[in-house]
Amino acid sequence: MLTKLVQISLLLGVLIAMASGEIERRNITQWQDHFDYNNTETWENTYYIDDSFYEPGGPIFLFMGGMDFYTTIGRLNSSHFRDIAEEVGAVLVGTEHRYYGESRPTPDLTKENLVYLTSAQALADAAELVRYLKASSPDLHDAQVIAAGIGHGGALASWMRLKYPELIDGAWASSAKVNAIVNFHEFLPNAAETIRIYGGLICYTRMANAFVMLEELFAEGNYTKLFEVFRMCPTEQEFDPELGGGLFFGTIATAIGMYISMLHSSGITSFCGYLDRGENELYGLADWIYTAIYQEAGCLQGNVDEYLYIYMDPDWDSIGSIIGGRQQVWQSCNEQGWFRSSDGEDHPFGHRFPYQIMYEQCGMLLNGTITEEDIHRNINNTNAQFGGLSPNVTRVYYTNGELDAERSLSILEDLNEETPADIIPFFGQGADFMPMSQTVYSGLRAVQTRARSLILQWLGIDEATPYN
């Protein structure tokens, strides 16, 4: 659950240029609750627009911002989606998900004020934005709309087509996490399988050895050495081997899976290289964690209370709110689950973080009470709303990277003739969104070419000039 700091740290080094003179930031007034007509509260929702290559009569290309709100401008500035938008003379628009970034519907993030943070509300925000754009100019009144996104944003894009087919003419859902699940025990076996196949048996064995050595430190109660080897922040608090150990193992295992997923095959090469350095594999793992993930912070947090408090502070100016961590905890506990537990088989990451401990964390982090039954009911409701892995939808293209440890949350096979799916070998999350001018591998280019062809087909444009 607690992966937001890890994800942002990973992306800082790989994001494309964020500055663009063509992209304009604007606001639209939204209802706090689109489904309660007695609630008349409104707020200002940020969105981004680039009409520099728009041609009258052209479509609207809608990039659905998700939890990784800090990547939206970069995707608008440089991506295959932008390339296609420019080709067809579209207005390129990016949404900012309510409660993330500068889009703040409530005075703070107390449990009572987080109730408006749902995917259904975010979809309604996007629908209002499309209606507003269409009404803003006679040229856009009958404009076709193509939605797209990555990860949670990819799910939102596919759900826009599902829930608002009268507004959305087609959707490109890259690495779309559409399936809500409480115990996401497939995550670690997926990551382990990727390392075993693409990193090789030697790399996998070294990683397994590192975790065996880590388990030995815990068995000996040698937390002084643990803090020393992993460069953990000094603390006067006695280390809690149960809660602290679960968080420690879970954080490291999740970091490995997410790093590989986001950086593709280069992430595996980097990770495997570190394991062969230092005194032994444990020191190599510690060096990788520090260098790749926590170097900016200076140390890995060893104080459990301070670690958790990041997500407990409800003020908008708190670090947990700024990075979207508290918001993601809320969505995990109340809508999506995705608890990356150690319950799966065939992985070397130990079993110190079973999914049951997530229930207690949900209540603790959200300053309230939530039961196991509540969480299961919430997750079931999400799949009932949006169809899980079997949505009744057409004109959606689902794409997933073979190295993405979260790929089992998405749709990996064709749903019907109008809703195809493809898997990209050797790549992880969202690789198909990179500009095609930067793409060398033929398998990735094939998926990008198909995305373009489908979008042109949905727009009714004759594909007279296919890509080379």
Side-chain angles (χ1 to χ4, degrees):
M1 184 199 308
L2 309 177
T3 59
K4 205 65 177 181
L5 281 169
V6 172
Q7 292 177 9
I8 292 178
S9 298
L10 292 176
L11 284 161
L12 284 176
V14 297
L15 285 182
I16 44 189
M18 298 297 282
S20 172
E22 305 293 348
I23 299 174
E24 182 181 350
R25 172 180 166 174
R26 298 181 184 176
N27 288 329
I28 178 176
T29 302
Q30 298 277 15
W31 295 110
Q32 187 181 71
D33 189 338
H34 290 279
F35 310 110
D36 181 1
Y37 297 112
N38 293 319
N39 184 339
T40 59
E41 295 292 325
T42 60
W43 58 287
E44 296 302 303
N45 187 187
T46 294
Y47 70 97
Y48 301 92
I49 187 167
D50 184 353
D51 59 3
S52 60
F53 41 77
Y54 173 69
E55 297 178 4
I60 297 170
F61 272 38
L62 186 70
F63 181 79
M64 298 295 296
M67 299 171 185
D68 52 349
F69 59 94
Y70 37 84
T71 68
T72 297
I73 297 178
R75 300 295 185 185
L76 296 178
N77 189 43
S78 178
S79 65
H80 189 43
F81 192 54
R82 177 188 174 89
D83 293 343
I84 302 170
E86 189 168 359
E87 178 185 357
V88 300
V91 173
L92 184 60
V93 180
T95 70
E96 185 170 80
H97 196 299
R98 57 168 51 205
Y99 284 86
Y100 292 88
E102 297 300 319
S103 297
R104 303 175 174 183
T106 55
D108 56 34
L109 293 171
T110 58
K111 178 184 175 183
E112 293 73 22
N113 280 333
L114 281 167
V115 295
Y116 309 108
L117 174 51
T118 68
S119 293
Q121 296 282 4
L123 294 173
D125 291 337
E128 284 300 311
L129 176 59
V130 171
R131 296 187 187 104
Y132 170 79
L133 292 171
K134 283 174 167 281
S136 67
S137 168
D139 287 335
L140 292 174
H141 185 269
D142 295 319
Q144 294 174 288
V145 182
I146 301 297
I150 303 170
H152 180 53
L156 293 174
S158 69
W159 295 339
M160 281 295 291
R161 172 63 184 164
L162 175 71
K163 294 296 185 180
Y164 298 96
E166 76 282 5
L167 295 177
I168 306 299
D169 294 276
W172 177 12
S174 177
S175 301
K177 299 195 288 186
V178 297
N179 191 38
I181 183 172
V182 176
N183 187 5
F184 185 27
H185 57 76
E186 296 94 342
F187 177 82
L188 295 182
N190 286 348
E193 178 186 29
T194 292
I195 294 170
R196 187 165 52 240
I197 294 174
Y198 292 99
L201 184 58
I202 293 177
C203 177
Y204 179 84
T205 301
R206 285 173 177 158
M207 179 180 69
N209 289 342
F211 277 89
V212 169
M213 294 177 190
L214 189 56
E215 288 283 10
E216 289 174 353
L217 288 184
F218 274 79
E220 297 165 358
N222 194 351
Y223 306 124
T224 300
K225 185 173 182 179
L226 176 73
F227 272 63
E228 174 189 332
V229 172
F230 283 87
R231 305 181 215 184
M232 297 172 70
C233 305
T235 176
E236 295 182 359
Q237 181 190 58
E238 183 177 354
F239 186 74
D240 181 345
E242 184 174 350
L243 179 57
L247 290 172
F248 184 82
F249 272 77
T251 296
I252 293 177
T254 298
I256 293 170
M258 296 306 298
Y259 188 88
I260 291 168
S261 296
M262 292 183 183
L263 295 186
H264 320 306
S265 56
S266 62
I268 300 176
T269 302
S270 172
F271 174 69
C272 293
Y274 270 91
L275 294 177
D276 194 27
R277 301 179 186 181
E279 183 177 326
N280 55 41
E281 292 94 332
L282 182 64
Y283 281 86
L285 176 64
D287 284 346
W288 176 81
I289 280 286
Y290 177 76
T291 304
I293 310 297
Y294 289 102
Q295 191 168 14
E296 286 292 323
C299 57
L300 175 59
Q301 185 57 254
N303 186 311
V304 174
D305 290 340
E306 290 185 18
Y307 183 87
L308 294 178
Y309 185 71
I310 292 174
Y311 302 90
M312 295 173 67
D313 190 341
D315 291 337
W316 278 112
D317 293 333
S318 70
I319 183 63
S321 302
I322 291 171
I323 66 176
R326 180 167 173 79
Q327 298 92 308
Q328 186 174 342
V329 169
W330 171 269
Q331 289 197 268
S332 291
C333 299
N334 287 274
E335 189 172 49
Q336 298 150 342
W338 302 341
F339 300 147
R340 301 171 183 89
S341 76
S342 59
D343 296 334
E345 298 179 357
D346 196 19
H347 70 80
F349 302 110
H351 296 279
R352 291 182 177 270
F353 46 108
Y355 84 99
Q356 288 89 348
I357 70 172
M358 306 299 182
Y359 299 135
E360 181 180 350
Q361 288 182 28
C362 282
M364 181 191 309
L365 297 174
L366 296 173
N367 315 102
T369 302
I370 186 168
T371 67
E372 180 177 348
E373 291 74 20
D374 291 334
I375 294 173
H376 279 275
R377 183 171 58 252
N378 294 340
I379 272 63
N380 290 337
N381 181 60
T382 299
N383 287 330
Q385 274 188 290
F386 303 117
L389 294 175
S390 303
N392 183 19
V393 68
T394 59
R395 288 191 173 189
V396 178
Y397 183 33
Y398 293 98
T399 58
N400 285 276
E402 185 184 27
L403 307 191
D404 186 357
E406 297 183 315
R407 62 187 179 275
S408 49
L409 297 174
S410 189
I411 292 168
L412 306 178
E413 297 180 352
D414 295 358
L415 288 179
N416 52 62
E417 290 184 359
E418 293 188 272
T419 309
D422 279 315
I423 297 176
I424 311 166
F426 308 115
F427 285 90
Q429 188 177 110
D432 45 333
F433 259 69
M434 73 172 66
M436 202 165 192
S437 60
Q438 299 177 14
T439 302
V440 177
Y441 178 64
S442 60
L444 177 55
R445 290 180 67 85
V447 170
Q448 291 179 309
T449 299
R450 190 177 192 189
R452 173 182 177 267
S453 296
L454 286 168
I455 290 173
L456 294 183
Q457 176 185 318
W458 296 333
L459 294 175
I461 298 175
D462 181 30
E463 190 178 355
T465 310
Y467 281 5
N468 296 325

